[in-house]
Amino acid sequence: MFAYKIVMVGDFGVGKTSLVRRFVDNSFSEEYLSSIGVSISKKTLTNSMVMLWDIEGKTESKPIYESYLNGAKGFIVVADITRAATIEGISEHIELCMRKSPHAPIVVSLNKNDIQTDSVYDKDKIENLSPNIIMVVETSAKSGESVEDIFLNLDSKIVEQIK
Amino acid sequence: MVKNKQKTQEDESLIEAFSPIVNELIDRNYKNSQDKIAKQMAPLIGSAIREQIKNQKDEVVDALYPVIGNMISRYVTKTFEDMLEKINAQIQNGLSFRAIKRKIDSKVQGVSESELLLQESTTSNIRALLLIHKQTGTVLTIAENPNKPIHEPEMLASMMTAIQSFVNDWIDQNDKHQELGEIEFGGSRIVIEDSGYAVLAAIVDGAVFNSTYESIRNVLESIVLENGDAIRNFNGDLSTFSNVTIYKHISALLSCERDEVESGKKHPLIYLIPVLMVVLFLWFFYSSYTQNEILKKTQDAIYKTPQLTSYRIDTKLEDSKVVITGEVPSLYQKNLAYQKVKQIDGVKSVKNNLVVVDFESDPKQIESNIFYLIKGFNLSYNTLLDYEYTYPSLKLKGVLESKKQKQKLLDELKKIKGVKDIKDNIKIQKPKAVVPKIDTVVYFQTNSSTIEPSQIEKLDKLASLLKGLDSNLSVYIKGESSPKGSKVLNEKIALKRAKSVGRYLKNTAKIPQKVVEDISDIFTKRCAVVSLKK
């Protein structure tokens, strides 16, 4: 049995909590409640017990408490596909993740793809931000699209690294 | 003035007219909008209470006292009930190892047992211990009280790590690096002991004492010393992380505290107590039996001593010492009783409390003494003595074997105080010797007086018997022969046979008796018959 920690990183309101809730409880709520501090969830997979750290999103006035990232075996960097600023912030988050855990795999989740939007992004550019990025994918916590994929792919990579 | 009066009357008329309607409206509104009213009233109530406390504090206290007073009283009562229950449980387990230890501690420390009991009742109990990987929040090892398991220990560990991380970040911003030491909740708390890579979290119910902190710290120190590298290199794979020694460390800490929780459990040594009690009982039984036997022997010895039989003498045991009590007429009896008791096997010491009393003037006591003395004498020497006693004269009747025996009797009688005039009609008569009947037949061959080897054993047995008898007796041997043939020859061979047997008994077997050889009056077979006469 493997036991490890994954941290959800991203700006405020990008849907980190919703992704976790969809993955853990298979539920979704339209109501937005800003996370304060950290919320931890446990998900038991076939060979692993994953502790999901859903930390408070970064805002202009408040940075992320970096200590929450200590000891993480993997990261899910989340951006809101409808908010360009959050996509631009991905690089900063990835930098932080690599600083805290230089070898931890990273999945970039471009969330809220259930909402029609005109914003464009360069997927290759995001993929090239770090060699640790194993996946850049559009997700929807609301519809559940690709939610399991991001967590399961990250789990496989982490287990492979631990082995 | 008139105008004002008129206005007042109008107002009153209006109030009278609208009052029922307004009241009805309020009632209806209240019924339909209770939640709304409650929301509107809530902030007002807080402000109203604050205002009232500011202005009339005592009144508020008086008003709330029945509620708050009762609540506090119930809380305190409940707390005391819990404590009493705990103390009662500890008292009921009076035979437990802990209870015995408490009693000893109480004596050694000079502190009352109740005080120690109270101290125990407020002791902290470690419910669970978690060794947590500091960075990841992974639970490396957990030891918990099976009666109070921790739900979702991984969540607890992660949350604690999160809090720890938050505090670290926050404190770092304030230029001070310190670790979170404790989280308190309700009557319990989580004591957190931090090392470089691991955190030992102890969930403690009740008060936490310095000794508890100390023991948690020591355990973490041991764990880090022994498993520091393994903890540091933990990569998330629990299957490769050996936590056997760690579990041993933390569960030891848990179990030593758990003893207090499960004080109902008895120490194995407790089961020795019934065994000891059985041994004690057997020893007591044996000791009692032995003492009774000794007592019985002492009483027998006194009763069977003719000089003491008639007196009221009793014996009892006091601390393994035989105490003789009663009354005797002289120092002679007192000393005699002492000697008789002292000689008994098993008697270690004797206390002679016999009182010498003058019996001289009591004819009944004198006669009683004579009666027991004569009876004892008869029993001892197998005699048939009798007596007549008319105060103060004693007449003796009967037969004794010797003058010596008679003198002994008279001497003993003279020792009885009050016996002054003894007339004896005792005859001295030696007992008749009892002659055993012997009728041994020794067989011979035809025309032979030679003793056959087969007859030798018979003669030796006879000789052995004769040697144990009175030498004044005479052994008669009468020879016989077959009735056939010449009478002269038959008589001749018969005498030879008698003499042959006589020679063997006298010369070979060396019997002490006189031997008389003769022939039998009637001849029936080839033999010699040996008999014994006075």
Side-chain angles (χ1 to χ4, degrees):
Chain A
M1 175 64 86
F2 302 101
Y4 59 85
K5 166 182 172 182
I6 288 176
V7 184
M8 310 291 291
V9 188
D11 289 349
F12 78 97
V14 293
K16 297 184 291 295
T17 306
S18 297
L19 284 169
V20 170
R21 197 175 293 171
R22 169 62 71 191
F23 181 58
V24 175
D25 303 327
N26 197 23
S27 65
F28 179 79
S29 168
E30 291 282 1
E31 195 176 353
Y32 173 68
L33 288 170
S34 176
S35 300
I36 297 167
V38 62
S39 156
I40 297 167
S41 307
K42 186 174 88 172
K43 179 79 176 176
T44 306
L45 302 173
T46 318
N47 292 315
S48 2
M49 185 175 62
V50 188
M51 302 308 296
L52 292 164
W53 288 50
D54 172 22
I55 63 173
E56 189 176 353
K58 179 178 174 285
T59 65
E60 284 176 8
S61 59
K62 192 160 65 178
I64 288 172
Y65 280 121
E66 293 186 11
S67 295
Y68 290 148
L69 276 66
N70 288 345
K73 289 285 174 193
F75 299 98
I76 295 178
V77 176
V78 187
D80 181 349
I81 203 168
T82 64
R83 284 158 58 205
T86 64
I87 297 172
E88 282 164 21
I90 290 173
S91 60
E92 194 184 331
H93 294 310
I94 285 173
E95 199 181 304
L96 171 65
C97 294
M98 289 184 67
R99 196 166 66 243
K100 298 305 278 186
S101 299
H103 305 293
I106 300 166
V107 169
V108 177
S109 162
L110 301 164
N111 200 25
K112 303 189 186 179
N113 83 335
D114 54 285
I115 302 171
Q116 290 294 323
T117 177
D118 296 330
S119 68
V120 286
Y121 62 90
D122 186 346
K123 191 179 176 186
D124 290 341
K125 191 182 166 191
I126 298 171
E127 279 175 344
N128 290 328
L129 285 172
S130 162
N132 291 6
I133 296 173
I134 59 164
M135 193 180 186
V136 177
V137 66
E138 288 188 14
T139 57
S140 167
K142 188 175 180 180
S143 67
E145 187 186 329
S146 300
V147 175
E148 271 209 349
D149 291 346
I150 57 169
F151 287 103
L152 295 181
N153 279 332
L154 191 58
D155 172 61
S156 303
K157 185 70 185 173
I158 292 169
V159 169
E160 188 188 311
Q161 279 192 351
I162 292 172
K163 279 179 177 171
Chain B
M1 184 76 178
V2 174
K3 201 178 174 182
N4 277 345
K5 196 175 178 184
Q6 193 180 350
K7 193 175 180 297
T8 306
Q9 281 175 348
E10 278 173 9
D11 286 349
E12 279 178 3
S13 303
L14 278 171
I15 288 167
E16 205 171 318
F18 282 109
S19 269
I21 301 164
V22 171
N23 284 339
E24 177 63 26
L25 275 171
I26 289 170
D27 286 350
R28 200 176 290 177
N29 191 39
Y30 176 74
K31 275 180 194 168
N32 297 334
S33 316
Q34 278 188 8
D35 291 345
K36 200 175 173 186
I37 292 168
K39 273 187 183 173
Q40 286 169 347
M41 291 284 287
L44 292 175
I45 290 171
S47 305
I49 291 172
R50 268 195 296 277
E51 191 61 27
Q52 188 69 2
I53 289 171
K54 202 188 287 176
N55 297 330
Q56 289 174 310
K57 189 179 171 186
D58 290 343
E59 270 189 29
V60 176
V61 169
D62 283 351
L64 291 177
Y65 180 77
V67 182
I68 294 174
N70 277 345
M71 200 169 75
I72 292 169
S73 165
R74 278 168 64 182
Y75 179 79
V76 171
T77 308
K78 180 77 177 65
T79 308
F80 269 94
E81 277 174 0
D82 288 349
M83 193 189 286
L84 281 174
E85 203 173 299
K86 217 168 182 182
I87 290 170
N88 282 339
Q90 280 164 327
I91 289 168
Q92 278 167 8
N93 294 322
L95 274 179
S96 69
F97 182 72
R98 179 170 289 280
I100 295 164
K101 185 177 174 291
R102 193 190 310 118
K103 282 180 201 300
I104 295 166
D105 284 350
S106 161
K107 298 283 176 202
V108 172
Q109 295 173 21
V111 182
S112 79
E113 207 183 326
S114 317
E115 214 168 309
L116 291 175
L117 207 56
L118 201 64
Q119 205 176 337
E120 277 180 25
S121 303
T122 53
T123 309
S124 57
N125 300 312
I126 297 180
R127 197 205 301 178
L129 284 131
L130 291 91
L131 183 73
I132 302 162
H133 190 244
K134 196 174 170 182
Q135 278 202 322
T136 60
T138 307
V139 179
L140 296 174
T141 313
I142 177 169
E144 58 188 341
N145 185 338
N147 299 324
K148 292 179 178 176
I150 300 294
H151 298 292
E152 296 280 9
E154 297 83 12
M155 291 295 290
L156 175 72
S158 292
M159 280 312 298
M160 275 180 45
T161 318
I163 297 168
Q164 190 85 287
S165 302
F166 169 78
V167 171
N168 283 348
D169 265 1
W170 183 81
I171 288 172
D172 276 349
Q173 286 173 14
N174 290 282
D175 282 340
K176 260 184 173 179
H177 184 79
Q178 282 179 348
E179 300 288 351
L180 183 68
E182 211 165 284
I183 299 169
E184 199 172 334
F185 59 101
S188 307
R189 63 183 77 188
I190 302 171
V191 176
I192 303 162
E193 198 56 43
D194 201 296
S195 77
Y197 296 94
V199 171
L200 183 61
I203 298 159
V204 188
D205 291 337
V208 183
F209 299 97
N210 284 340
S211 58
T212 317
Y213 289 114
E214 190 67 28
S215 53
I216 293 169
R217 205 168 295 139
N218 290 340
V219 164
L220 181 62
E221 195 177 311
S222 307
I223 291 170
V224 170
L225 278 173
E226 290 171 23
N227 304 277
D229 289 342
I231 295 169
R232 189 171 57 248
N233 298 327
F234 175 70
N235 65 351
D237 188 355
L238 286 170
S239 60
T240 58
F241 183 78
S242 171
N243 64 359
V244 180
T245 53
I246 298 174
Y247 182 79
K248 206 172 160 188
H249 277 300
I250 63 174
S251 61
L253 185 60
L254 182 73
S255 60
C256 76
E257 297 286 341
R258 198 190 302 161
D259 282 346
E260 287 161 18
V261 179
E262 296 168 7
S263 55
K265 282 191 177 176
K266 302 275 190 292
H267 194 276
L269 281 175
I270 291 302
Y271 299 106
L272 274 178
I273 290 174
V275 176
L276 286 173
M277 284 174 78
V278 169
V279 170
L280 205 66
F281 173 76
L282 288 174
W283 179 82
F284 178 77
F285 180 77
Y286 171 76
S287 169
S288 171
Y289 174 78
T290 316
Q291 290 191 343
N292 278 342
E293 280 297 298
I294 290 172
L295 211 55
K296 205 175 158 189
K297 280 182 187 173
T298 58
Q299 285 160 356
D300 273 0
I302 287 171
Y303 182 73
K304 285 178 182 171
T305 305
Q307 298 93 322
L308 301 173
T309 311
S310 63
Y311 303 111
R312 286 173 296 168
I313 299 172
D314 200 9
T315 54
K316 60 181 178 181
L317 277 168
E318 276 178 13
D319 302 329
S320 306
K321 188 184 276 187
V322 179
V323 180
I324 312 170
T325 55
E327 294 173 342
V328 285
S330 69
L331 203 59
Y332 165 75
Q333 280 93 348
K334 184 175 177 174
N335 292 338
L336 185 64
Y338 179 83
Q339 289 301 328
K340 290 285 174 189
V341 172
K342 185 83 179 163
Q343 284 165 6
I344 294 165
D345 281 346
V347 174
K348 288 172 187 166
S349 62
V350 182
K351 190 177 179 186
N352 196 348
N353 280 354
L354 279 173
V355 179
V356 179
V357 179
D358 183 15
F359 289 102
E360 217 168 322
S361 55
D362 184 356
K364 277 190 178 176
Q365 182 62 48
I366 295 167
E367 188 180 358
S368 172
N369 292 346
I370 294 166
F371 169 78
Y372 284 114
L373 182 65
I374 299 290
K375 193 179 176 186
F377 205 86
N378 281 337
L379 282 172
S380 300
Y381 299 104
N382 200 23
T383 54
L384 288 166
L385 288 173
D386 200 4
Y387 72 94
E388 279 177 26
Y389 180 70
T390 311
Y391 183 79
S393 298
L394 171 65
K395 284 181 185 173
L396 295 168
K397 294 187 283 184
V399 180
L400 287 177
E401 285 181 9
S402 64
K403 285 182 180 174
K404 196 178 169 185
Q405 210 174 41
K406 182 182 168 184
Q407 193 54 49
K408 193 174 179 182
L409 173 68
L410 292 173
D411 288 347
E412 293 300 333
L413 284 167
K414 279 173 191 169
K415 283 173 189 169
I416 299 174
K417 285 197 174 175
V419 176
K420 288 174 182 171
D421 182 18
I422 302 173
K423 290 175 182 170
D424 79 275
N425 194 16
I426 295 170
K427 289 178 183 172
I428 304 297
Q429 195 176 340
K430 286 191 176 178
K432 292 177 183 175
V434 179
V435 181
K437 193 180 176 187
I438 292 173
D439 200 9
T440 305
V441 181
V442 182
Y443 293 96
F444 294 88
Q445 294 288 340
T446 311
N447 288 328
S448 169
S449 60
T450 309
I451 298 168
E452 292 295 314
S454 62
Q455 303 297 302
I456 294 293
E457 191 184 345
K458 195 188 288 181
L459 283 170
D460 284 345
K461 277 187 181 173
L462 175 67
S464 175
L465 176 70
L466 290 169
K467 280 176 188 172
L469 296 176
D470 192 352
S471 58
N472 293 325
L473 296 170
S474 300
V475 176
Y476 282 80
I477 306 164
K478 289 194 173 182
E480 287 188 38
S481 78
S482 163
K484 294 174 187 172
S486 158
K487 188 186 174 188
V488 178
L489 285 173
N490 283 348
E491 285 177 353
K492 198 176 174 183
I493 192 79
L495 189 61
K496 269 187 173 179
R497 282 169 179 163
K499 288 198 170 179
S500 176
V501 172
R503 269 198 307 278
Y504 184 85
L505 290 174
K506 199 79 183 166
N507 301 334
T508 310
K510 297 191 187 305
I511 61 168
Q513 290 84 6
K514 178 187 163 191
V515 176
V516 180
E517 297 103 344
D518 199 0
I519 58 169
S520 177
D521 298 336
I522 303 164
F523 288 180
T524 55
K525 48 199 164 188
R526 297 184 297 275
C527 67
V529 179
V530 184
S531 60
L532 194 65
K533 287 182 182 172
K534 281 188 186 174

